[in-house]
Structure formats: C-alpha cells, structure tokens
Amino acid sequence: MYNEAFMRRAIDISAQAIDTPGTEPFGAVIVKDGAIVGEGINRSLINHDPTSHGETEAIRDACRNLETVDLRGCELYSSCEPCALCVAAMNIAGIAAMYYAADMGQAGKAIGDLPESARFPVDVTLLTHECGHVVGARKMPSEQHLSSEAAEILSQWAKLARARM
C-alpha cells in the first residue's frame, strides 16, 4: 500500500545528485513490512556502469541487507518512472508493487533541455521495443551459437540444484 514518506525518501535520494558528482537524479527505495531495506541513486557515471540506475542500486542494496535475491513481498518507490531494464530487474527480484513520481515524459522534457554532450544516448522507445520482443523480432542483430554445450551446463547445474533441495 502506497506510503508518501517512502516516496519522499526516494525523491530526497534523487536530490543528492544535485551536489554529488557522478550521480544522476534517479532515486529509489525498497520497502518490506513497512521498513526501508534498500536505497539507491543512479551511479552510472561514477561506476562506469550503464545498469547502475537508482532502482537497480536499491535492489542490490536490499538483497545485500536481506541476504537474499528473493524480494517477494517488497515494494519499490522511485523518483521517476522506471525504464524497461529496471522493470525487468524488479520482476526478476520479485518486487510486489512499484510506485513512482515523475513519468517518462517529465524526465524526457528535463533531460531534453540538456546539451547533447551531457546526455546519455538512450532511446526509451527503442529500449521498450527491444525488451518487449523475442530475440528474432528485435532490431539488434543477434545469432545463436554453441547452444547444446551451454544447455548441457544448465542441465548439470539444475540437476545439482535439485539434489541440494
């Protein structure tokens, strides 16, 4: 259930980018049972990591703090509507609900005002397209190779994982 205090915390985290070099104004918090268990701000520039978005950083922090990769039952609050990469990470982690402040249009308007040299070349429409289609229907060229060898390793690993259960 939405809690304004958690949204305000996500926005406060995003505001840190105003004074913190190497960060961008996208903050997020993960909440479990009414308490913040993870926080994150976009550190893509300082970490030289295009996946270091506020949401992914909050997921990483929550997973470390809870010592799990299973965030079922957790909620995510973000200062901005998450991109497809972050939505995928939320789904993989099992986030139960997501609340956001600014939408993609508001973010695009603000970022669009930056000089080209200060903008990372992200095409949100293309990102959404690529993530929403099977490999063969994507615009990025791709080829499959050595599938049987890789599938055999997956099978061996799964067999060992089942034996440990």
Side-chain angles (χ1 to χ4, degrees):
M1 176 174 280
Y2 174 76
N3 182 312
E4 186 175 315
F6 298 135
M7 184 61 76
R8 290 198 180 281
R9 178 63 186 146
I11 293 169
D12 288 346
I13 292 168
S14 75
Q16 293 173 16
I18 294 169
D19 299 317
T20 308
T23 62
E24 295 181 338
F26 302 97
V29 297
I30 307 288
V31 175
K32 182 171 183 153
D33 299 327
I36 293 175
V37 295
E39 297 185 340
I41 189 170
N42 184 307
R43 297 180 185 282
S44 293
L45 299 174
I46 199 165
N47 289 344
H48 307 286
D49 178 357
T51 68
S52 184
H53 294 186
E55 296 89 350
T56 58
E57 289 297 315
I59 289 168
R60 290 170 183 152
D61 189 43
C63 288
R64 281 189 299 268
N65 290 335
L66 297 173
E67 298 181 341
T68 185
V69 295
D70 183 356
L71 297 181
R72 282 180 286 187
C74 292
E75 299 174 328
L76 184 142
Y77 288 77
S78 179
S79 65
C80 186
E81 178 182 354
C83 71
L85 169 107
C86 294
V87 171
M90 285 182 246
N91 278 280
I92 291 167
I95 298 292
M98 182 268 297
Y99 307 100
Y100 64 96
D103 61 30
M104 287 287 188
Q106 292 167 309
K109 182 178 183 319
I111 293 168
D113 294 339
L114 291 173
E116 189 67 35
S117 61
R119 281 189 265 159
F120 187 76
V122 174
D123 179 340
V124 175
T125 303
L126 177 62
L127 179 64
T128 303
H129 174 274
E130 293 291 272
C131 292
H133 288 84
V134 296
V135 173
R138 296 177 188 156
K139 293 183 183 213
M140 179 184 289
S142 60
E143 298 178 0
Q144 184 177 22
H145 300 278
L146 302 175
S147 64
S148 61
E149 287 90 338
E152 179 57 31
I153 291 169
L154 292 168
S155 294
Q156 288 177 23
W157 176 85
K159 181 178 178 182
L160 290 171
R162 281 191 293 277
R164 287 187 288 253
M165 295 175 122

